[in-house]
Amino acid sequence: MSQQTANGRIEIICGCMFSGKTEELIRRIRRVKIARQPFRLFTPSRDTRYGLNQVTSHSGSRLEAQTVRSISEVLNACHDVKVVAMDEIHFLDDPPERIVAACQQMADQGIRVLIATLDQDFRGEPFAAIALLMAVAERVDKLSAICVCCGAEATRSQRLINGHPAPADAPTLMLGGREMYEARCRACHIVPRS
Ligand SMILES: [Zn+2]
């Protein structure tokens, strides 16, 4: 292994809504900045909750980010960096295999690839790209939140429509904050199936 590629790795920070994924991503990027390593932070252009060109955690931390629509845009913009960080990558349009191949390629080239993402959709089903990435990653941190119903450890995102659980046939991706999502445990997570 050459010195240049020795630092290549994939790190996944995953979990449900409100589990502090973006906060942890921002914490790791702060350390990258202190180490003066060249990095670039990307966020999907579909995630516009807090305005373009910024990654913002629910607790208010923020960092400048480049918005992208596809993983190809990330690949094209990652020359001369040591660290590539991506937030909310479940929002990218690409097929799962394409996302995994791109992350592997960057890591093989010696880049530290930092990813913060949901691991499951609102039904509790895995996002395919994330499941595959977790298998090949050097490090996976699965964060949890607290169930708003019972106070247990929450691992799932409950989607609500007018205060009621969203049905299983609702669209997989819908942007929303606390008015539309709650953190819940396995027992309290409800997905009505028609
Ligand atoms: Zn619960």
Side-chain angles (χ1 to χ4, degrees), residues 87-128:
D87 193 36
E88 307 269 22
I89 102 167
H90 55 275
F91 275 120
L92 290 176
D93 289 332
D94 311 88
E97 303 74 28
R98 175 93 191 93
I99 293 176
V100 176
C103 292
Q104 293 271 59
Q105 184 186 327
M106 288 187 281
D108 288 345
Q109 289 169 354
I111 293 172
R112 180 181 172 208
V113 181
L114 284 171
I115 293 167
T117 180
L118 290 173
D119 49 3
Q120 303 162 31
D121 64 19
F122 76 98
R123 305 177 193 92
E125 289 167 9
F127 284 104

Side-chain angles (χ1 to χ4, degrees), residues 39-194:
F39 75 97
R40 203 152 283 157
L41 171 60
F42 299 94
T43 187
S45 52
R46 287 157 86 172
D47 189 358
T48 54
R49 277 174 298 178
Y50 299 99
L52 293 170
N53 304 315
Q54 271 190 349
V55 164
T56 310
S57 72
H58 289 292
S59 61
S61 306
R62 62 188 66 200
L63 276 178
E64 293 298 307
Q66 179 175 342
T67 56
V68 289
R69 201 165 286 277
S70 72
I71 197 75
S72 310
E73 292 174 52
V74 174
L75 280 178
N76 290 336
C78 75
H79 304 294
D80 305 325
V81 298
K82 290 227 180 324
V83 180
V84 163
M86 294 181 272
D87 193 36
E88 307 269 22
I89 102 167
H90 55 275
F91 275 120
L92 290 176
D93 289 332
D94 311 88
E97 303 74 28
R98 175 93 191 93
I99 293 176
V100 176
C103 292
Q104 293 271 59
Q105 184 186 327
M106 288 187 281
D108 288 345
Q109 289 169 354
I111 293 172
R112 180 181 172 208
V113 181
L114 284 171
I115 293 167
T117 180
L118 290 173
D119 49 3
Q120 303 162 31
D121 64 19
F122 76 98
R123 305 177 193 92
E125 289 167 9
F127 284 104
I130 311 310
L132 294 167
L133 277 171
M134 285 168 78
V136 298
E138 271 73 12
R139 176 175 173 182
V140 176
D141 289 277
K142 180 152 177 158
L143 306 183
S144 61
I146 297 297
C147 177
V148 299
C149 299
C150 74
E153 187 175 25
T155 55
R156 304 200 174 192
S157 306
Q158 176 71 55
R159 187 191 290 168
L160 299 169
I161 298 175
N162 298 324
H164 299 287
D169 58 2
T172 298
L173 293 174
M174 272 180 91
L175 283 174
R178 290 185 191 277
E179 76 292 347
M180 200 191 285
Y181 289 100
E182 286 178 353
R184 293 198 185 181
C185 70
R186 177 184 289 269
C188 298
H189 183 248
I190 300 168
V191 187
R193 301 190 185 257
S194 50

Side-chain angles (χ1 to χ4, degrees), residues 11 13 20-35 39 41 55 57 59 61-63 83 85 112 114 116 139 141 143:
E11 296 173 36
I13 304 159
K21 303 180 296 294
T22 302
E23 193 68 35
E24 174 60 19
L25 180 69
I26 290 173
R27 190 188 73 85
R28 289 191 201 177
I29 294 170
R30 279 206 201 98
R31 292 162 57 92
V32 168
K33 286 171 110 168
I34 291 167
F39 75 97
L41 171 60
V55 164
S57 72
S59 61
S61 306
R62 62 188 66 200
L63 276 178
V83 180
R112 180 181 172 208
L114 284 171
R139 176 175 173 182
D141 289 277
L143 306 183

